[in-house]
Amino acid sequence: MFPLYLQESAGTVPGPPSTGASQQLQNSSPANRPAHAKEYNFLDIELKYGILQITEALSFLHYSGQVIHRNVCPSSILITKKGTWKLAGFEFTERVNEQDSTDPVPCQPWSTRTSKMVQPNLDYMAPENQINANCSILSDMFSLGMVICAIFNHGRPLIQSGNSPPAYIKQTEMLDEAVHNMLPRIPIPLQEAVTRLLKKSPVARPTAQLLTLIKYFSDPAVQALQFLDVINMKDPTQKTHFYRSTLREVLPFLPRKLWWQHIWPNLQQEMRADEVLAAVLQPALTLVQESSNTEYEAIILPTFKTVFVAPKSIQATVALLENLHIILEKTPRDDIRTEVLPLLFNALESTTIQVQ
């Protein structure tokens, strides 16, 4: 995993760290970072799905966990090698109001008398936290709005207080103007939501549950990625429908980068399960057809070799035979002789009508 602010620092100005742990991560030199985090550029769909994942994490936290995060900022967001965004940094959580989770509870404002290492990130803190010494789940939503702005602002937060509460107060007074100037950089379907998230009055902000329903997230490609992330919780019938129809339809609209980063690892894992193998082979064979020879030999073929020799259902065998011309076109000659021809010979000897 790598924190979101490592990507931001590849832009211009990163936000300050929130804790001692994140300080160590941010101060690590690029040479010490994982290879996948050194030069990583987010695609639009990755940003869209990432923001949705954090919004869903907050929804779970607020309504199932009954807690306020209180430090939603880039350094509390971790991104896995696969591209999944995860909310971390739970050092400052508070219990929600028992009567109404949108009602405020007392919380400590940022103070220069305490080390910045043991306080939330001031630049992403909601105004009511600092001014009124209270917070609610809607305070987290303000912080999320600030994170979204930083994402589309080369990593720069709209408030850059330098850990000075007076500077923070002064900049919050000019926040409406800063948001207005920032809006053209934000995707149009997200602009209204960001404007509401950054309202100084908490009651004007949407909850995490409402935010997930906006049109910006209503994207079939994002919904497919979302389904893949919880595929292990689905039954074989749901999986089969998804692989046979939904994923095959969405694949052409997903960037190739996500094929190998997000889609293929899931297919690779599912190809070990005989009950859904025939369905999984449909999108997998689409990847075979669309892949370059290098991608096929390095990424796909090692997994297909195990499929060729493993016991399979009739449907899975038929799927391979029907697409044998695609496989033969991409597979090196030596591998055809050792891996593919035995599959064909076994099929010729089969007594099953469908295979014949």
Side-chain angles (χ1 to χ4, degrees):
M1 295 186 186
F2 63 96
L4 179 62
Y5 60 74
L6 290 184
Q7 161 63 14
E8 294 178 355
S9 62
T12 48
V13 183
S18 61
T19 65
S22 62
Q23 176 76 58
Q24 288 181 334
L25 286 167
Q26 190 172 35
N27 286 344
S28 63
S29 66
N32 294 330
R33 297 175 195 163
H36 61 277
K38 288 179 181 176
E39 292 183 8
Y40 192 97
N41 296 312
F42 289 99
L43 302 172
D44 289 343
I45 189 172
E46 288 182 284
L47 294 177
K48 181 185 293 188
Y49 186 40
I51 294 168
L52 177 60
Q53 286 174 309
I54 299 305
T55 305
E56 290 179 328
L58 284 174
S59 180
F60 176 81
L61 203 64
H62 294 164
Y63 294 101
S64 298
Q66 295 287 298
V67 293
I68 306 162
H69 188 281
R70 287 197 64 228
N71 192 33
V72 179
C73 62
S75 58
S76 63
I77 297 171
L78 302 178
I79 302 174
T80 68
K81 188 174 181 179
K82 182 181 167 185
T84 303
W85 293 30
K86 295 181 178 291
L87 185 62
F90 296 94
E91 301 93 342
F92 308 105
T93 56
E94 292 280 355
R95 298 295 298 177
V96 301
N97 188 302
E98 293 183 0
Q99 278 72 40
D100 187 339
S101 58
T102 60
D103 286 343
V105 296
C107 62
Q108 192 70 26
W110 210 94
S111 173
T112 53
R113 296 179 182 178
T114 307
S115 169
K116 65 181 181 180
M117 312 301 284
V118 292
Q119 298 187 85
N121 191 321
L122 180 59
D123 290 347
Y124 293 85
M125 187 180 289
E128 64 272 12
N129 193 334
Q130 186 62 23
I131 298 170
N132 303 325
N134 63 47
C135 62
S136 69
I137 62 172
L138 298 173
S139 304
D140 281 347
M141 301 312 294
F142 178 92
S143 301
L144 177 61
M146 293 294 285
V147 169
I148 293 171
C149 286
I151 287 171
F152 294 103
N153 195 34
H154 307 294
R156 292 191 298 261
L158 293 185
I159 295 175
Q160 299 182 56
S161 64
N163 296 319
S164 167
Y168 169 86
I169 298 296
K170 185 175 181 180
Q171 290 184 44
T172 56
E173 293 170 357
M174 300 181 290
L175 185 59
D176 289 343
E177 181 182 353
V179 172
H180 177 77
N181 294 336
M182 175 67 209
L183 281 182
R185 302 179 191 176
I186 295 174
I188 292 174
L190 191 56
Q191 289 180 3
E192 182 184 352
V194 169
T195 302
R196 291 181 58 197
L197 286 170
L198 295 179
K199 291 291 185 184
K200 292 173 189 172
S201 171
V203 294
R205 303 170 199 153
T207 62
Q209 286 182 337
L210 286 175
L211 190 61
T212 59
L213 302 177
I214 66 172
K215 189 176 180 181
Y216 177 66
F217 298 124
S218 186
D219 181 334
V222 167
Q223 290 166 357
L225 295 175
Q226 200 173 17
F227 192 96
L228 270 177
D229 278 342
V230 294
I231 196 77
N232 291 332
M233 300 168 61
K234 306 297 180 181
D235 61 44
T237 304
Q238 292 172 309
K239 289 182 179 183
T240 298
H241 178 267
F242 175 75
Y243 288 127
R244 283 190 184 277
S245 56
T246 308
L247 187 56
R248 287 186 70 188
E249 292 168 7
V250 165
L251 268 179
F253 302 99
L254 286 170
R256 292 179 73 91
K257 171 184 171 185
L258 295 189
W259 291 1
W260 312 123
Q261 180 178 295
H262 206 104
I263 306 296
W264 177 247
N266 282 281
L267 298 182
Q268 202 174 18
Q269 183 178 346
E270 291 283 18
M271 287 169 82
R272 300 171 189 160
D274 187 58
E275 57 186 353
V276 293
L277 177 59
V280 175
L281 282 173
Q282 302 301 323
L285 287 163
T286 300
L287 291 182
V288 171
Q289 187 171 15
E290 298 298 329
S291 63
S292 67
N293 288 340
T294 303
E295 289 169 336
Y296 173 73
E297 292 176 29
I299 302 172
I300 298 177
L301 184 56
T303 301
F304 262 72
K305 285 181 179 180
T306 62
V307 174
F308 292 150
V309 298
K312 293 175 287 297
S313 66
I314 295 171
Q315 292 87 345
T317 303
V318 170
L320 288 172
L321 292 173
E322 286 178 339
N323 293 275
L324 201 58
H325 60 290
I326 300 172
I327 296 170
L328 291 171
E329 184 181 317
K330 292 287 175 70
T331 306
R333 181 165 302 200
D334 289 345
D335 290 316
I336 289 176
R337 186 173 60 253
T338 59
E339 309 293 341
V340 182
L341 289 183
L343 169 72
L344 182 58
F345 295 151
N346 288 335
L348 289 172
E349 296 174 357
S350 172
T351 56
T352 305
I353 296 174
Q354 294 97 317
V355 174
Q356 285 296 317

